[in-house]
Amino acid sequence: KQEVTQIPAALSVPEGENLVLNCSFTDSAIYNLQWFRQDPGKGLTSLLLIQSSQREQTSGRLNASLDKSSGRSTLYIAASQPGDSATYLCAVEGNNRLAFGKGNQVVVIP
Amino acid sequence: NAGVTQTPKFQVLKTGQSMTLQCAQDMNHNSMYWYRQDPGMGLRLIYYSASEGTTDKGEVPNGYNVSRLNKREFSLRLESAAPSQTSVYFCASSEDRDLGQPQHFGDGTRLSIL
């Protein structure tokens, strides 16, 4: 069974600092890896999707890398802003299902 | 620009009552999903429908039934609600499950079973 881990569960950073969020997974036979953002009381918003054949994806200030062999992905958010405060979820698709981590709860301090 | 719409947003039930959670998407997506989110457990897949006319069990299907009414709509039914089914339920859709496209989520239904 695929296990997805995100550490730390919560973190705070000053505005302007770069954010680095880590995700690890136990089974490297994945189809793709997705990063989502969840705001309180809301659903999930897809941020980036990395296919298993890719090494990274970029969208604006966001960059996600994937190392399948080591079972790791990293989400970088450059020059963090208070509006980046949210929970970030990593999800790995394989074996006909999406397995989610429990998330990194991020607070960006003005 | 509705995307995925879930109704109701909140519901309180008594143990043993039944109810149906509704989900509709306007993106012409083939695949639809139902998840539950519980503190400390993350999101877990209940059922999914890869395409109109098909449904399959996910990780935690017990106590639930689903219906893919048409391409737009995918409903989740609790026949006899139990306190363990207190959770936030999310519906999601994607263009095609086999293409590995991102999933689009609704805002959730917050369900409490007393």
Side-chain angles (χ1 to χ4, degrees), chain A residues 19 32 37-38 58 96:
Chain A
L19 266 168
N32 61 52
R37 169 184 172 138
Q38 185 174 27
T58 298
N96 285 324

Side-chain angles (χ1 to χ4, degrees), chain A residues 1 31-32 34 36 38 40-44 46 49 51 89 93 95-98 100-102, chain B residues 35 37 40-43 45 48 57-59 90 97-103 105-107 110:
Chain A
K1 179 186 173 183
Y31 197 53
N32 61 52
Q34 301 177 44
F36 292 89
Q38 185 174 27
K42 294 291 187 180
L44 281 67
S46 179
L49 183 151
Q51 302 288 357
L89 295 159
E93 182 156 12
N95 197 26
N96 285 324
R97 59 191 55 186
L98 204 55
F100 284 85
K102 295 176 184 176
Chain B
Y35 294 91
Q37 186 176 34
M41 298 292 291
L43 275 95
L45 182 65
Y48 67 96
K57 294 179 180 179
E59 187 180 353
F90 288 101
R97 183 178 183 82
D98 292 334
L99 294 179
Q101 297 295 317
Q103 294 185 17
F105 282 74
D107 283 344
R110 281 141 189 85

Side-chain angles (χ1 to χ4, degrees), chain B residues 7-57:
Chain B
T7 54
K9 294 189 183 307
F10 302 93
Q11 185 71 49
V12 178
L13 292 178
K14 294 181 179 179
T15 298
Q17 287 185 316
S18 62
M19 82 162 294
T20 299
L21 280 62
Q22 307 287 352
C23 174
Q25 52 91 8
D26 62 2
M27 295 172 283
N28 201 35
H29 284 170
N30 287 313
S31 303
M32 298 186 73
Y33 316 82
W34 276 105
Y35 294 91
R36 60 178 289 174
Q37 186 176 34
D38 302 291
M41 298 292 291
L43 275 95
R44 292 178 292 170
L45 182 65
I46 305 171
Y47 270 94
Y48 67 96
S49 171
S51 61
E52 186 179 355
T54 69
T55 61
D56 284 285
K57 294 179 180 179

Side-chain angles (χ1 to χ4, degrees), chain A residues 67-89:
Chain A
D67 185 339
K68 246 184 23 169
S69 60
S70 67
R72 295 186 180 188
S73 176
T74 301
L75 178 66
Y76 299 88
I77 302 177
S80 61
Q81 304 168 359
D84 295 328
S85 298
T87 298
Y88 292 84
L89 295 159

